[in-house]
Amino acid sequence: MNPLFAPLQVRSLALPNRIVMSPMTREHSPAGVPSPDVAAYYRRRAEGGTGLLITEGVAIDHPTAVDSPRVPRLHGESALAGWRTVVDEVHAAGGRIIPQLWHVGPLWGAMSAVDPALTPMRPSGLWGRVGKTVYPEDYLARASVPTPAMTEHDIAEVIAAYVRSARNAVDAGFDGIAIHAGHGYLLDAFLWESTNRRNDHWGGDLERRTRFPVEVVRAIRREIGPDLPIFYRFSQHKQQDYEARIANTPDELAVVLNALVEAGVDVLDASIRRFDAPAFEGSELTLAGWAKKLTGAVSMAVGSVGLDKSLRDAGTPGPADLDGLLRRLEDEEFDLVAIGRLHLADPALATILRDGGPVPAFDRRIHERRLY
């Protein structure tokens, strides 16, 4: 059997295969409300046979969660009605779907102009070290100006916002919860030493820097109960710095991931620019592979699957065979495979792969517009 098409059970979520649509920001929800176009977009991927759809990042119920008015939100009557339509359409097509809860934290203001009266949520008021990144110099200059650090009140409000939005997701009929905690966004900013310089119980050593993400997960698990799965996206790299790391050794990574699993995470979504890149020197094991080895939890690989280079590298990505991916799945290095860009190239990606067809060609125009 092709290992991509083995079933998998995660709590109450029964997946027919190991193919997951990776979350990709679209900005096609005016005023934060998912339209019928959004429902059709996700339904096409469900009809195409993808085992699980993870939505684009969705704003939690907090004033500075996202800075684009066209990013969907998970609060407000009209937005929740829109999401119920999305869920109903996906379920009618035989699919499964979970929302990715999102708070951009220090990166608030990166996508569009923001209300200057509002303060971005930053653990220590810092943007973080700037390394190799795609942001223009004028934005980096603005973002690097220190802002007030998050207070205890801010932290409590954000945790409550995650809980409210998770409850809204359950009430809308979603099949689980995903949490975006990578790429320099809020939860990741607490883990990264460059953005968390606190000396209270929310900062300091790695164990204390993990406390805020753990409390968010724990609060969500209490709210949604034991049946629905929680997916948790983490990363080493940040949008501020592609070479940044939260863990320099497997032992350090174990401190973070085991605490999250103990708090209620079921699936560790290991986000990296190339899924098959070794995570640490001296081993060929990938980031998703280490996540599974260190915790025993289900892990998911993501990053340029089916492409010969990352999107941010020079030139247009071309197709790459899946032999290495299949071998790693057969060896049970990881359990799930999240694919983003190729789901834009063809919504029937899973059916194509099941039938032995060629990997769809990447199309930059489709990728940029995210309409198909």
Side-chain angles (χ1 to χ4, degrees):
M1 177 184 290
N2 184 330
L4 279 172
F5 294 91
L8 181 68
Q9 186 83 29
V10 187
R11 293 193 188 247
S12 62
L13 179 62
L15 299 177
N17 59 57
R18 306 303 179 93
I19 302 172
V20 177
M21 180 175 176
S22 187
M24 292 175 285
T25 299
R26 296 185 72 224
E27 294 191 87
H28 286 290
S29 297
V33 177
S35 65
D37 166 72
V38 173
Y41 170 85
Y42 287 113
R43 177 167 182 146
R44 284 194 290 272
R45 276 77 191 170
E47 291 171 337
T50 295
L52 175 66
L53 310 179
I54 303 181
T55 72
E56 60 214 279
V58 183
I60 65 170
D61 187 11
H62 187 268
T64 63
V66 300
D67 50 12
S68 169
R70 296 179 63 85
V71 166
R73 60 178 186 257
L74 248 175
H75 55 94
E77 197 171 313
S78 56
L80 295 179
W83 280 121
R84 282 190 286 271
T85 298
V86 172
V87 171
D88 289 347
E89 289 288 315
V90 168
H91 286 169
R96 298 142 194 85
I97 185 168
I98 63 178
Q100 188 190 59
L101 307 186
W102 194 21
H103 193 301
V104 301
L107 279 73
W108 190 67
M111 296 175 71
S112 61
V114 293
D115 183 347
L118 297 176
T119 301
M121 294 292 99
R122 297 176 172 180
S124 301
L126 303 173
W127 163 260
R129 187 188 73 194
V130 175
K132 183 180 180 183
T133 182
V134 297
Y135 286 115
E137 290 297 324
D138 61 337
Y139 175 71
L140 291 175
R142 295 195 307 274
S144 297
V145 176
T147 61
M150 290 177 71
T151 65
E152 289 288 342
H153 178 72
D154 292 332
I155 288 171
E157 281 199 330
V158 169
I159 293 174
Y162 272 104
V163 170
R164 287 193 301 274
S165 298
R167 169 47 55 190
N168 289 342
V170 173
D171 292 345
F174 281 103
D175 300 299
I177 300 293
I179 302 171
H180 198 337
H183 305 177
Y185 297 126
L186 181 58
L187 276 71
D188 194 31
F190 272 83
L191 293 174
W192 190 26
E193 193 172 14
S194 184
T195 41
N196 186 348
R197 304 288 180 84
R198 303 174 73 101
N199 56 14
D200 59 4
H201 59 288
W202 302 110
D205 62 21
L206 185 56
E207 184 176 354
R208 285 189 291 169
R209 296 201 305 274
T210 305
R211 185 166 291 160
F212 177 69
V214 162
E215 288 305 317
V216 168
V217 171
R218 188 172 287 140
I220 289 173
R221 174 56 72 199
R222 282 196 301 264
E223 180 66 27
I224 69 173
D227 293 336
L228 296 179
I230 296 177
F231 286 57
Y232 187 95
R233 169 161 284 191
F234 72 98
S235 71
Q236 294 271 39
H237 73 280
K238 320 298 169 201
Q239 292 197 65
Q240 300 98 312
D241 183 2
Y242 287 161
E243 297 174 353
R245 302 172 76 83
I246 57 172
N248 292 308
T249 66
D251 287 345
E252 289 183 352
L253 187 61
V255 170
V256 176
L257 299 186
N258 279 302
L260 291 164
V261 170
E262 183 179 347
V265 167
D266 300 291
V267 180
L268 292 165
D269 174 5
S271 182
I272 191 169
R273 296 181 69 211
R274 282 213 59 86
F275 81 94
D276 53 359
F280 298 105
E281 288 187 11
S283 170
E284 290 300 309
L285 205 59
T286 62
L287 190 61
W290 277 111
K292 183 174 182 177
K293 180 177 181 177
L294 294 169
T295 67
V298 174
S299 73
M300 182 162 68
V302 64
S304 304
V305 174
L307 301 174
D308 63 0
K309 64 179 69 175
S310 170
L311 183 64
R312 300 298 186 189
D313 295 336
T316 298
D321 67 57
L322 300 180
D323 292 348
L325 173 72
L326 297 178
R327 176 180 57 78
R328 292 176 190 272
L329 274 174
E330 287 174 344
D331 292 344
E332 299 183 352
E333 181 177 330
F334 43 74
D335 306 283
L336 292 164
V337 180
I339 305 175
R341 295 166 195 130
L342 298 187
H343 269 110
L344 297 177
D346 197 320
L349 173 66
T351 299
I352 291 169
L353 296 179
R354 184 197 65 199
D355 295 343
V359 173
F362 171 80
D363 187 318
R364 188 175 293 275
R365 293 169 300 174
I366 291 175
H367 177 269
E368 289 173 349
R369 298 180 70 197
R370 287 169 164 77
L371 293 174
Y372 184 31

